[in-house]
Amino acid sequence: MSATFLGMPGNFPENASEAVQNSQLRYNLRKATSTIRGKRAGVVAELPDWQDLRAAGKAIKDHTLRNLDRYLVMMEEAVTRAGGTVHWARDAAEANRIVTGLVQATGEREVVKVKSMATQEIGLNEALAEHGIEAYETDLAELIVQLGDDFPSHILVPAIHRNRSEIREIFLDKMPKVPENLTDDPSALAEAARLHLRERFLRSKVAISGANFMVAETGTLVVLESEGNGRMCLTLPETLISVVGIEKLLPAWRDLEVFLQLLPRSSTGERMNPYTSMWTGAVEGQAFHLVLLDNGRTDVLADEVGRQALRCIRCSACLNVCPVYERAGGHAYGSVYPGPIGAILTPQLRGMSSELDASLPFASSLCGACYDVCPVAIDIPEVLVDLRSKAPHPAAERAGMKVAGWILNDHVRLAQAQRLAGRLRGLVPKRLPGPASAWTDTRDLPEIPAESFRDWWERGGRDDRA
């Protein structure tokens, strides 16, 4: 099974319909998201200037995106001065080709990875495997997903859909040298993973990472993580390759002061994360390569409404408050970016030519909870509505909307349609026929009144209340 979702069949309604039948999945999601949601609310409430921080994060990101060309060149120059090498990749194929070539140049046949959504986005593990190079995930949740031949289902906790018993079974089945008496105690599972990964860390000569932030002023990359695996990947190997989306830039070092408060509180519900690793260029004994990934981001930047999705710092706060995600889970979205942010980012990065991607803007109730918790104030409902207008619609739906517009655009036609509906209300079925059945399959058709409000008012019905 591919570690990415590229080419996944079906659409969101079909995938979600199947997912909500899984009671264990729904329990796992409800328990995990409610826990993270509660922790986030607690640490955010501690800061009286949270909304000011949120506004500052939005402003910094918007400024960077408006001047992205200038800051990307600044980043390249700073990394080069520090002894690193910068590569530019316009799409997934070019990025995979660059990274594969860099690994092959070392003569190594395996690499270790610290969690990187950009490499999942481009299907790097599969590209490396095609050339006989094995990629080993070192983040615990990513390791669980990889060993289970599974898909990630959450931005922060990729194995959120798995419980402890399921993880134990995966370890016993796929992880070598695991004791047969392994329990599902979290500390026992963590120790088994630690022993498994330690061998990889000490043996591997090449590491691949992503980055949470890049600082154009200094050429510094920043990774925030909770397990220490990132630091092992970043320091032990002789060659470090970082694949980073071009939107991860920050102009100056001082900007980190804002985002190192926003991200931990919004993601794990912590005041600060356990490990913050920063590196600038190459260090003694290690070669450093930075691959700057576009892969559709320039097209997103050109969209005046959709470009705000590029402010995303991958905190996953929107997933944890989304009622749709909590019930359907991440796999239903068919993308490495699930939840509300995935519903607006994936269709822009991949386009809406597939049935799956065209369905994602509709994977929301538009309740607005995602916007309320977003640390960089991305108005996800606004982008969803905009994408819905751009998505392909069936001919019957387009015809229906055209007729509705014709009726609603004239008060005389509207009044006549209301009177006709009132007379024929007894003939309206509970389940509408044809394409309209999709609407009544998930909703109750409102009862049509015998008399419209307009007619009631004109015959003096307003006096009935007196």
Side-chain angles (χ1 to χ4, degrees), residues 1 16 68 71 92 97 118 138 140 157 163 192 200 231 252 265 290 299 326 367 406 409 415 428 444 451:
M1 182 183 292
L68 192 58
Y71 287 123
R97 186 165 58 250
T138 65
L140 178 55
V157 193
N163 59 32
R200 307 288 187 200
R231 191 156 295 180
R265 284 176 165 82
L290 171 61
D299 294 333
E326 184 176 300
C367 69
W406 179 77
N409 198 42
V428 178
D444 291 329
E451 182 180 34

Side-chain angles (χ1 to χ4, degrees), residues 114-368:
V114 58
K115 183 178 177 183
S116 165
M117 302 199 76
T119 59
Q120 293 173 354
E121 174 190 327
I122 63 176
L124 179 61
N125 287 10
E126 292 72 31
L128 291 173
E130 290 176 0
H131 292 84
I133 301 168
E134 188 74 22
Y136 295 103
E137 301 289 350
T138 65
D139 175 86
L140 178 55
E142 293 286 358
L143 175 65
I144 294 167
V145 169
Q146 185 177 46
L147 291 176
D149 197 22
D150 200 357
F151 293 128
S153 63
H154 191 275
I155 289 176
L156 179 68
V157 193
I160 196 172
H161 56 289
R162 297 289 193 181
N163 59 32
R164 294 184 302 176
S165 297
E166 292 173 314
I167 295 170
R168 172 184 176 274
E169 293 303 317
I170 291 173
F171 280 13
L172 288 172
D173 185 44
K174 297 294 183 67
M175 189 180 287
K177 301 179 183 179
V178 172
E180 294 182 0
N181 62 349
L182 178 69
T183 69
D184 64 359
D185 180 74
S187 60
L189 295 173
E191 179 64 17
R194 186 179 298 113
L195 294 174
H196 172 74
L197 290 172
R198 187 170 297 160
E199 179 184 350
R200 307 288 187 200
F201 288 134
L202 296 175
R203 188 177 67 201
S204 299
K205 304 297 184 183
V206 181
I208 297 174
S209 84
N212 294 100
F213 306 106
M214 300 184 292
V215 182
E217 179 183 50
T218 60
T220 303
L221 280 77
V222 185
V223 163
L224 282 68
E225 41 107 5
S226 302
E227 301 168 17
N229 63 302
R231 191 156 295 180
M232 298 286 279
C233 284
L234 297 172
T235 56
L236 290 178
E238 297 174 0
T239 300
L240 173 60
I241 305 168
S242 298
V243 182
V244 189
I246 56 176
E247 82 281 13
K248 294 297 185 72
L249 267 179
L250 299 178
W253 183 268
R254 66 175 180 271
D255 297 325
L256 287 173
E257 186 268 338
V258 173
F259 291 96
L260 293 183
Q261 294 184 75
L262 289 173
L263 183 52
R265 284 176 165 82
S266 295
S267 58
T268 57
E270 297 174 296
R271 297 178 183 87
M272 64 180 294
N273 55 289
Y275 295 93
T276 300
S277 299
M278 304 181 183
W279 68 101
T280 304
V283 297
E284 184 177 355
Q286 185 184 74
F288 173 61
H289 297 270
L290 171 61
V291 180
L292 293 172
L293 177 68
D294 187 325
N295 202 36
R297 287 159 174 79
T298 300
D299 294 333
V300 180
L301 186 61
D303 190 301
E304 293 185 0
V305 177
R307 68 176 56 147
Q308 58 185 301
L310 296 178
R311 293 204 297 261
C312 178
I313 58 175
R314 310 293 192 267
C315 70
S316 75
C318 61
L319 281 70
N320 299 326
V321 299
C322 178
V324 177
Y325 174 85
E326 184 176 300
R327 287 155 179 81
H331 292 162
Y333 294 83
S335 167
V336 68
Y337 303 113
I341 187 61
I344 66 170
L345 188 57
T346 300
Q348 294 191 86
L349 290 177
R350 298 201 308 215
M352 289 187 280
S353 58
S354 73
E355 183 182 4
L356 173 63
D357 293 335
S359 70
L360 291 179
F362 301 90
S364 171
S365 65
L366 300 179
C367 69

Side-chain angles (χ1 to χ4, degrees), residues 394-411:
E397 182 181 347
R398 294 198 304 272
M401 291 297 105
K402 189 172 183 179
V403 171
W406 179 77
I407 294 173
L408 294 171
N409 198 42
D410 182 88
H411 71 92

